[in-house]
Amino acid sequence: MPWQRHPRYFLFMALIIMATIYLLIPSQSPIQSNSFAALVRDTGLPARLERAEQVYQKVISDRKDMIRKYGPTPRHIHMFPPDKDPWPAYTVWSFFPPSFDCPHETERIGALGDGGKWTCGVSRLEHKPDCIIYSFGMYYETSFEAEVVERTRHCQVWGYDYRSTSFGSNKLNNYRAHFFPYGLANIDAHGPHDEHKSYTLKTLMEINKHSHIDVLKIDLEGWEFEVLPQILQPYIASGEPLPFGQLLIEIHTWDKKFEDFLTWWELLEAAGLRPFMTEVNLVYQNYNRGKPTDLAEFSFINVKGNNIFISDPGTHLTVGT
């Protein structure tokens, strides 16, 4: 009788039936293009940047709502309001969070204290053959510059500070480190009668024969509100991308009005700069207890053009356009 056959017979018949069913079922991709899994994947660099820009645009919209709620115009917002009704007493920093997500590793380069800076994707510079770093206003705090030279194969670091005579670090006694006692300004002032030699960024890049800077680091003790507009406005007007990939800056809000700070910040945004990290200068705050938190470090990534932080070599990508 059939049911009295060897068990291997039934195993063989079961395998035949399963194979037949498998062949009759239409083949399907494990993830359809409109499936949930496909929609949430941000594995590629362009996708991560696009998602980060969407988040940042929402923050811009939220900022406008916040100004209307507590203003109702920028002219009515206080940089550091007194601790009295109406509460909460939001400071200027509450309106400008660093909400753009760095698409690479976020890493502090240099000392944990003064001199170190938060960066995005410095690993992408480790083997970049034409890597260029500009640093202004170090005043002997050069742990950032020293670590960049140590960790990369080709990065050339160009340091400028009219208050110093050198980098101030033995680690920067290197053919890839170049120091000049000059300042960064919104005009060129380096004639024989100028006590402190100052140059615009454009002039220095022309002297050095550089067309692009990977990381621009500046600490101008408040002059950033005059210098940065001079750098950015020509590129905004022309639609060309800025000639640098990241901006690491200490912002000094001494005696600034909110409406003026907002105009300056929106200029950075119009040029394609997006903040991904901030750090209030608590050392300064400790020295000035009871006074406003005027100083904060900000790190920006440039999302326009095809710099190394937003596009892989051989590709071209501009976010949000």
Side-chain angles (χ1 to χ4, degrees):
M1 300 298 289
W3 56 82
Q4 293 178 326
R5 292 181 179 178
H6 196 280
R8 285 181 293 182
Y9 171 82
F10 295 102
L11 178 61
F12 176 75
M13 293 302 296
L15 289 173
I16 292 177
I17 293 171
M18 291 175 62
T20 303
I21 294 173
Y22 177 81
L23 293 173
L24 291 176
I25 296 176
S27 62
Q28 293 183 342
S29 172
I31 299 179
Q32 298 296 317
S33 60
N34 60 347
S35 71
F36 172 73
L39 292 173
V40 299
R41 286 188 170 185
D42 285 347
T43 55
L45 179 55
R48 294 198 303 272
L49 286 164
E50 195 62 39
R51 184 64 57 86
E53 181 66 13
Q54 291 172 6
V55 171
Y56 192 75
Q57 290 301 320
K58 181 181 182 300
V59 169
I60 292 177
S61 177
D62 291 344
R63 181 201 305 154
K64 294 176 181 178
D65 292 340
M66 192 173 178
I67 290 172
R68 282 192 291 268
K69 181 177 181 179
Y70 294 99
T73 70
R75 185 168 56 88
H76 295 92
I77 300 291
H78 294 281
M79 294 287 283
F80 301 96
D83 184 18
K84 64 180 183 180
D85 192 53
W87 285 288
Y90 289 118
T91 74
V92 60
W93 307 124
S94 300
F95 292 82
F96 305 94
S99 53
F100 193 89
D101 187 30
C102 162
H104 314 292
E105 77 281 359
T106 301
E107 181 181 6
R108 188 178 182 85
I109 303 298
L112 287 179
D114 199 16
K117 303 293 178 182
W118 287 102
T119 62
C120 172
V122 165
S123 60
R124 295 173 72 86
L125 301 179
E126 290 178 356
H127 301 281
K128 189 172 184 286
D130 56 349
C131 171
I132 299 293
I133 312 292
Y134 274 35
S135 181
F136 294 92
M138 305 89 62
Y139 199 53
Y140 299 115
E141 294 289 351
T142 53
S143 60
F144 170 86
E145 293 76 11
E147 185 169 339
V148 167
V149 169
E150 183 179 9
R151 284 186 46 178
T152 63
R153 292 185 59 191
H154 306 290
C155 282
Q156 301 272 339
V157 176
W158 298 75
Y160 299 90
D161 196 322
Y162 69 86
R163 302 166 299 176
S164 310
T165 57
S166 69
F167 279 111
S169 170
N170 291 332
K171 294 182 179 179
L172 288 164
N173 292 335
N174 188 294
Y175 72 96
R176 290 191 283 122
H178 318 271
F179 177 85
F180 297 91
Y182 307 152
L184 180 66
N186 58 339
I187 59 171
D188 286 310
H190 42 82
H193 301 295
D194 293 307
E195 181 180 1
H196 302 300
K197 311 299 183 186
S198 299
Y199 293 78
T200 65
L201 183 66
K202 180 176 183 292
T203 298
L204 288 174
M205 292 181 69
E206 289 173 350
I207 293 173
N208 298 331
K209 296 181 172 56
H210 294 152
S211 60
H212 183 77
I213 300 167
D214 291 291
V215 178
L216 174 62
K217 171 179 168 284
I218 65 175
D219 183 353
L220 301 180
E221 303 298 329
W223 288 101
E224 60 270 18
F225 293 100
E226 284 72 32
V227 172
L228 274 178
Q230 185 273 333
I231 295 173
L232 304 182
Q233 284 169 342
Y235 292 94
I236 296 173
S238 68
E240 293 294 316
L242 295 172
F244 50 86
Q246 283 185 49
L247 172 67
L248 315 179
I249 180 175
E250 182 169 54
I251 300 175
H252 311 74
T253 62
W254 298 314
D255 302 321
K256 287 294 175 186
K257 295 180 179 179
F258 183 89
E259 57 186 315
D260 297 329
F261 184 86
L262 175 64
T263 299
W264 179 82
W265 184 277
E266 289 179 338
L267 192 71
L268 273 63
E269 291 174 330
L273 295 173
R274 300 289 184 266
F276 63 87
M277 181 62 76
T278 189
E279 181 179 87
V280 173
N281 189 329
L282 294 178
V283 174
Y284 172 85
Q285 190 63 31
N286 193 39
Y287 291 153
N288 294 273
R289 297 185 183 187
K291 294 183 179 180
T293 312
D294 292 306
L295 276 57
E297 302 272 1
F298 272 87
S299 300
F300 295 83
I301 185 173
N302 175 17
V303 299
K304 293 187 176 182
N306 63 340
N307 68 74
I308 191 64
F309 304 109
I310 66 166
S311 61
D312 295 320
T315 65
H316 180 84
L317 174 67
T318 296
V319 179
T321 58

